[in-house]
Amino acid sequence: MNRLRDGAAPPEGVGRDREQVLARLVEMLNDLTSECDRGFSGGIGPDTRLAADLEFDSVDVVQFALLIEERFQRRKLPFEKLLMIDGRYRDDITVGEVAEFLGVWRGPA
Amino acid sequence: MSHSSSIQYAQLAGVTLAYRRLGSGEEVVFIHGMAASHGFWHLNVLLPLARRFRVTLYDQRGHGSSSLPPSGYTTAELAEDLRQLLDALEVPRAHLVGHSLGGAVALHLAAQHPNRVASVVVADTRVRALQPVQRPSDWPHWGSVKARLAELGLELSDDVNDWGMHLFEQLASSLVAREKLRGTSLFIPFSRLAGGRRSAERWLELLNTTSARRDLVDVAGLTADKLARVACPVLAIYGERSTTLPSQAALSALLPDCRRVTVPGAGHFFPISCPDLFVREVCAFVESHAQTAAAARVVVPVVEAAAVAGPSLASKRRAES
């Protein structure tokens, strides 16, 4: 069972939306990382890790989360369900996991 | 494009401070405690607050990515650093949220420059003038912590005053000397998110190469008389099991406008261990003392521009002194 879905039924169209969501996230991350030296030369894709590959720290992740809420026009997305397991922060997350999270958690527009 | 979340540096008189800003709305500045850095403020505190407010995080002098001057570590001097940072950021007046030492810095600025401070959240701060002695033996929960320290091979005298500083020094020394330590809740200032081993090394460097060891235990003019002149609203939020709890009662009795909140069952690091209650209290407090009517409970577009990145803390070199 998918951990992110937490027992909830996925909204309709999740599979179809996922590639679009992923493409928008990659575009956002390319914008975010283009003007600084992150030391990451590979193309950003679903397996790219925010911390290990893009050198995001916790404040970068907060800013990324805020940008997602603005660009996807959703408010108060439960990012803690993506970033924490059993009350502890995960070591890292991939871009694909963020896309999957956005497909499941629609949040109020 | 702006870089609202990237780390930036403010060149002030005698010190370079690292800071980051995110969100928009009421100006809220977070001040970390002794031995920590701006990484102390975790995601589940920052995210809900940055949805509502313009949040500024910074590293106090000698901490994190800020420079390490040889002196200037009293709360009076640290408050002057903050005043200069507000000047550099062109922030005329801000709400201050300070944990531990950071709360004393906030109170000092509010006492010295009341026109710059809209409100103060004092989170588990020992106020030296009001709680001059802080010994392990005075704390009802010392036994369990002492046992955990013993498991790590650490020992602290029951009678040592200012034991927080000594404890952090021992923990930092252990962390630097070993690969990994168990008992992580004791090590929050040196947790992975807060900089890990590098934070521990920085704390030892600060104690051993600067006047910090002397300065940080100095009342530095923040007397009861001066505290009584803090007229802005103050939220004194303390952990029920914290060693600093006597300061909360004393502040409440002294300050003209002080809301008192105790976090049930929590210790000194409740902003991390109980973030939901902390966030709820801080949001309600800041919104109730908002400087602009539009700030109250309005979700604002929080990102200034697409380019919000900058070199992360992990990839940055420390600012030059």
Side-chain angles (χ1 to χ4, degrees):
Chain A
M1 184 175 176
N2 191 315
R3 182 184 55 77
L4 295 176
R5 287 177 187 155
D6 200 21
E12 289 184 14
V14 164
R16 194 170 61 243
D17 288 348
R18 187 175 184 278
E19 291 308 312
Q20 284 183 315
V21 169
L22 194 57
R24 290 180 70 185
L25 289 176
V26 169
E27 184 184 7
M28 286 164 57
L29 288 167
N30 277 323
D31 286 346
L32 291 174
T33 56
S34 63
E35 292 192 4
C36 59
D37 177 18
R38 295 267 177 179
F40 181 64
S41 56
I44 296 174
D47 296 330
T48 302
R49 297 163 297 178
L50 296 187
D53 296 328
L54 301 181
E55 298 183 9
F56 272 29
D57 67 11
S58 59
V59 180
D60 291 316
V61 173
V62 170
Q63 195 68 19
F64 184 41
L66 293 170
L67 185 60
I68 287 170
E69 291 188 337
E70 185 188 66
R71 293 284 182 90
F72 286 82
Q73 296 190 311
R74 300 186 200 175
R75 290 186 289 119
K76 297 185 179 178
L77 286 164
F79 283 103
E80 68 280 3
K81 294 187 185 300
L82 171 67
L83 301 166
M84 302 181 80
I85 298 176
D86 298 330
R88 298 179 70 89
Y89 287 98
R90 300 173 61 193
D91 285 338
D92 214 337
I93 52 173
T94 67
V95 177
E97 288 174 318
V98 179
E100 186 180 353
F101 165 81
L102 289 171
V104 173
W105 296 98
R106 297 257 156 184
Chain B
M1 290 190 287
S2 69
H3 295 258
S4 54
S5 92
S6 63
I7 198 159
Q8 297 179 72
Y9 295 93
Q11 310 284 340
L12 310 178
V15 67
T16 300
L17 295 187
Y19 68 93
R20 297 168 95 168
R21 308 186 83 188
L22 62 169
S24 64
E26 287 284 300
E27 296 282 356
V28 182
V29 180
F30 284 75
I31 316 167
H32 64 78
M34 196 183 280
S37 70
H38 81 272
F40 172 79
W41 305 103
H42 283 194
L43 182 140
N44 47 6
V45 170
L46 288 183
L47 183 56
L49 286 159
R51 282 171 173 150
R52 294 171 172 82
F53 310 123
R54 170 79 150 169
V55 169
T56 298
L57 312 164
Y58 76 103
D59 293 335
Q60 299 210 67
R61 72 164 58 201
H63 294 75
S65 298
S66 291
S67 65
L68 188 92
S71 62
Y73 295 92
T74 66
T75 56
E77 291 159 312
L78 296 172
E80 173 59 16
D81 286 348
L82 176 54
R83 188 193 66 77
Q84 290 187 35
L85 179 63
L86 293 176
D87 283 351
L89 299 178
E90 298 181 341
V91 174
R93 191 172 167 90
H95 303 269
L96 307 179
V97 180
H99 177 249
S100 198
L101 171 69
V105 172
L107 288 170
H108 216 131
L109 185 63
Q112 287 286 90
H113 298 282
N115 58 323
R116 306 302 299 270
V117 182
S119 72
V120 174
V121 176
V122 180
D124 229 86
T125 296
R126 173 193 170 202
V127 181
R128 289 179 182 279
L130 308 181
Q131 188 185 353
V133 177
Q134 186 192 38
R135 291 180 303 221
S137 55
D138 298 329
W139 186 45
H141 310 288
W142 169 236
S144 61
V145 171
K146 185 176 184 178
R148 289 173 67 192
L149 290 175
E151 288 174 15
L152 299 168
L154 303 178
E155 190 177 355
L156 206 61
S157 164
D158 293 347
D159 296 325
V160 64
N161 196 9
D162 299 306
W163 69 283
M165 178 188 291
H166 296 288
L167 176 63
F168 289 155
E169 186 175 13
Q170 287 210 15
L171 293 173
S173 298
S174 292
L175 188 58
V176 168
R178 305 177 192 186
E179 275 303 306
K180 200 170 182 179
L181 282 177
R182 290 172 294 124
T184 52
S185 66
L186 286 170
F187 299 97
I188 281 178
F190 312 124
S191 68
R192 185 180 59 81
L193 283 170
R197 181 180 301 271
R198 183 170 171 275
S199 289
E201 290 169 348
R202 199 89 206 278
W203 175 240
L204 295 176
E205 186 180 2
L206 179 63
L207 289 180
N208 293 327
T209 67
T210 75
S211 62
R213 194 186 294 274
R214 184 174 65 247
D215 292 351
L216 288 170
V217 301
D218 190 347
V219 170
L222 193 62
T223 60
D225 286 346
K226 180 166 271 189
L227 282 163
R229 295 203 295 267
V230 174
C232 70
V234 174
L235 168 63
I237 182 167
Y238 282 68
E240 184 185 39
R241 291 166 57 90
S242 174
T243 179
T244 66
L245 202 55
S247 289
Q248 183 197 36
L251 276 177
S252 178
L254 190 64
L255 299 176
D257 184 358
C258 182
R259 170 173 164 73
R260 188 172 168 182
V261 173
T262 304
V263 184
H268 184 58
F269 295 110
F270 64 82
I272 305 310
S273 60
C274 303
D276 293 347
L277 177 60
F278 179 67
V279 166
R280 203 160 55 239
E281 287 291 337
V282 171
C283 285
F285 180 74
V286 170
E287 285 171 349
S288 69
H289 300 291
Q291 303 174 89
T292 57
R297 300 184 190 288
V298 174
V299 176
V300 292
V302 288
V303 179
E304 289 185 330
V308 296
S312 70
L313 282 182
S315 66
K316 258 178 251 21
R317 289 192 296 268
R318 185 181 305 162
E320 295 299 323
S321 296

